[in-house]
Amino acid sequence: MTVHRTSNRRYRTNRAKTLEGQPVCALCGRAIDKTLLQYHPHSGTAHHVLPYAKGGTDELTNLVPAHLECNQKQGDKLDPVIDRTSREWI
Ligand SMILES: [Zn+2]
């Protein structure tokens, strides 16, 4: 089972920094609409480049913008799982 420690303060602070400006999802390459409510599938999250499970941290250097849905699809896998050319989820 995957443990998500997304409630800690460093993650929340750095997630906000990661999503500053006009963020583009690092996983699918599409813009992130910051007006969407948290927990909306296309809302913005900060994806861990190196997952917690592999020893990754909440430092800014380990975070990239990603849609919640893309982040969940990617999970703890290191290789990209999202087909950037797919348009099926729009
Ligand atoms: Zn995305």
Side-chain angles (χ1 to χ4, degrees):
M1 181 183 149
T2 304
V3 178
H4 291 286
R5 293 184 293 162
T6 53
S7 60
N8 76 68
R9 195 206 289 179
R10 182 181 292 277
Y11 174 78
R12 289 202 308 269
T13 301
N14 286 341
R15 177 182 63 192
K17 288 182 183 171
T18 300
L19 294 172
E20 277 176 359
Q22 297 192 314
V24 173
C25 177
L27 299 176
C28 74
R30 295 177 198 287
I32 293 172
D33 183 350
K34 292 198 292 185
T35 65
L36 295 173
L37 294 176
Q38 195 176 4
Y39 305 122
H40 184 286
H42 296 168
S43 65
T45 65
H47 173 67
H48 293 84
V49 177
L50 184 64
Y52 277 133
K54 311 283 188 202
T57 69
D58 288 320
E59 299 300 324
L60 274 178
T61 51
N62 193 42
L63 295 173
V64 292
H67 298 111
L68 177 60
E69 183 178 68
C70 295
N71 201 347
Q72 288 175 338
K73 276 187 192 169
Q74 182 68 32
D76 286 342
K77 299 175 210 54
L78 291 175
D79 294 322
V81 298
I82 295 164
D83 179 2
R84 283 167 169 256
T85 61
S86 170
R87 298 183 181 273
E88 66 188 37
W89 62 269
I90 291 180

